[in-house]
Amino acid sequence: MALEKGPLLLLALGLGLAGAQKALEEVPVQPGFDAQKVEGRWLTLQLAASHANLVSPADPVKLALHSIRTRGSGDVDFVLFWKGEGVCKETNIIVHPTQLQGQYQGSFEGGSMHVRFVSTDYSNLILYVRFEDDEITNLWVLLARRMLEDPKWLRRYLEYVEKFHLQKALVFNIDGPCPRP
């Protein structure tokens, strides 16, 4: 993957969430979602993608979601670290709330991005990200505060993987921040 694709494509790779070409409206949202409760450190437990080539093990660039922050404006900030080709860098991706609770959107050069907090108990989180540019890329990820997979949450996540015909992908976590040169 070329590094010049930009940090939003890297978010797609790092979160590792991809769905089939289903309509955005088919993706559920957590009722009563509270963005402030998802703030903090998250670990990626499971990752799936509709385009397996986006998360190829041979790709030299690796991206990891490190944490989620909220801003006073209601925006959500995803803190990511990416490594590859002799580079380690922190990237922040900011999405803005829509009129619908638990749904956010942002834009990047040549496209748009939609984020839905599908399901959470604030210790586990299923997140959906949809990128629209020349094509549609849907990403799905199972996140948790600890590396232990809760069977209930894993089962729920795998139901989405099956429903949306997703390709499982390798998981990558980084403790961050990147070491200074």
Side-chain angles (χ1 to χ4, degrees):
M1 179 187 88
L3 291 176
E4 62 270 11
K5 287 283 188 182
L8 290 175
L9 182 56
L10 288 174
L11 172 63
L13 295 172
L15 294 176
L17 308 172
Q21 304 303 323
K22 300 283 186 176
L24 184 60
E25 294 74 31
E26 294 181 61
V27 178
V29 176
Q30 172 71 40
F33 176 72
D34 182 346
Q36 291 182 337
K37 290 183 178 179
V38 297
E39 283 192 308
R41 178 74 167 106
W42 289 95
L43 299 165
T44 303
L45 301 181
Q46 294 281 322
L47 173 61
S50 58
H51 304 293
N53 61 327
L54 290 178
V55 288
S56 166
D59 193 333
V61 176
K62 302 293 182 209
L63 182 81
L65 172 70
H66 181 269
S67 56
I68 300 172
R69 297 186 291 219
T70 59
R71 297 175 179 233
S73 62
D75 292 349
V76 172
D77 184 2
F78 294 97
V79 180
L80 310 159
F81 289 97
W82 58 279
K83 293 180 7 175
E85 301 178 6
V87 176
C88 183
K89 193 171 188 180
E90 179 178 337
T91 301
N92 292 36
I93 305 297
I94 300 170
V95 291
H96 315 286
T98 67
Q99 298 296 329
L100 304 170
Q101 190 174 24
Q103 299 181 52
Y104 296 80
Q105 64 185 21
S107 60
F108 58 97
E109 188 176 319
S112 64
M113 176 176 134
H114 303 273
V115 176
R116 286 192 179 195
F117 289 85
V118 174
S119 187
T120 187
D121 64 0
Y122 304 104
S123 292
N124 298 281
L125 171 61
I126 298 174
L127 190 65
Y128 166 82
V129 179
R130 176 183 176 115
F131 291 92
E132 297 179 23
D133 52 13
D134 293 337
E135 64 181 344
I136 295 173
T137 303
N138 297 297
L139 305 171
W140 290 78
V141 66
L142 174 60
L143 302 164
R145 302 282 188 180
R146 300 179 305 141
M147 282 305 293
L148 299 173
E149 284 183 337
D150 180 323
K152 177 182 89 173
W153 282 92
L154 179 58
R155 192 169 35 256
R156 185 178 294 167
Y157 173 79
L158 292 175
E159 287 172 4
Y160 290 118
V161 170
E162 183 177 329
K163 176 180 179 178
F164 290 95
H165 309 289
L166 305 172
Q167 307 277 329
K168 289 185 181 181
L170 294 175
V171 171
F172 180 71
N173 286 292
I174 188 169
D175 291 328
C178 296
R180 302 226 182 250

